[in-house]
Amino acid sequence: MLREVRRRQSRQPASTTPPTAPTAPNRPRSPARPVPPPTSGSARQLTYAPDLDGRADPGEVVWTWVPYEEDATQGKDRPVLVVGRQGEALLGLMLTGQAERDGDPGYLSLGSGPWDPAGRPSWVRLDRVLEMTEASIRREGAVLDRARFDRVAAVLRAQHGWL
């Protein structure tokens, strides 16, 4: 079961151009950034701790600007499942609504949820970890139920060395 979370800001349309800071015309102010996937020597801790306090917490789906892999100066606003923290940074995994990801070993089906206004099914990408600051979060989208979060966590532990 999913519970809708208070929205932090009004809904913003997806964009392929990042919000810009005055000093860096084509760079986002505080984008999510990919970090190396965990290994047994650098395992990351999974946490489920959603809290409807207006801040992003592990277990919540939030929206943030995510750079494209092929060109980090471009990207779009997309839903991200927060799976843990590393210091002050949030760790997340991006979601996609691309049905061709079904059965892809790098993705896990989550089904539909309130993070997608059209109610389309989503898949979480397991091999691209994003590090975000609280300032990079545009809005909270939903709390992912514990059973689905535990499915994501089990795959991350088995395939990618998470704790």
Side-chain angles (χ1 to χ4, degrees), residues 3 5-6 48-60 140 143:
R3 295 179 295 172
V5 180
R6 292 179 306 214
Y48 184 79
D51 184 2
L52 305 179
D53 62 356
R55 296 185 65 212
D57 298 296
E60 296 175 6
E140 294 176 281
V143 172

Side-chain angles (χ1 to χ4, degrees), residues 58-118:
E60 296 175 6
V61 176
V62 299
W63 283 77
T64 189
W65 190 85
V66 177
Y68 294 133
E69 284 182 278
E70 56 279 353
D71 181 358
T73 65
Q74 304 233 358
K76 69 178 186 176
D77 233 17
R78 65 181 321 124
V80 173
L81 173 62
V82 180
V83 294
R85 287 189 179 270
Q86 191 166 6
E88 291 296 312
L90 297 160
L91 300 174
L93 303 171
M94 68 179 213
L95 274 58
T96 184
Q98 297 177 354
E100 62 268 18
R101 300 301 183 194
D102 198 30
D104 185 322
Y107 291 80
L108 179 67
S109 175
L110 289 180
S112 61
W115 56 83
D116 185 309

Side-chain angles (χ1 to χ4, degrees), residues 115-138:
W115 56 83
D116 185 309
R120 296 171 294 204
S122 294
W123 290 261
V124 61
R125 183 170 176 183
L126 301 165
D127 64 351
R128 186 177 187 213
V129 181
L130 301 169
E131 187 175 274
M132 305 163 287
T133 64
E134 190 69 38
S136 73
I137 306 300
R138 295 202 195 292

Side-chain angles (χ1 to χ4, degrees), residues 10 24 33 44 46 62 154:
S10 62
R33 66 179 188 85
R44 296 191 178 101
L46 287 159
V62 299

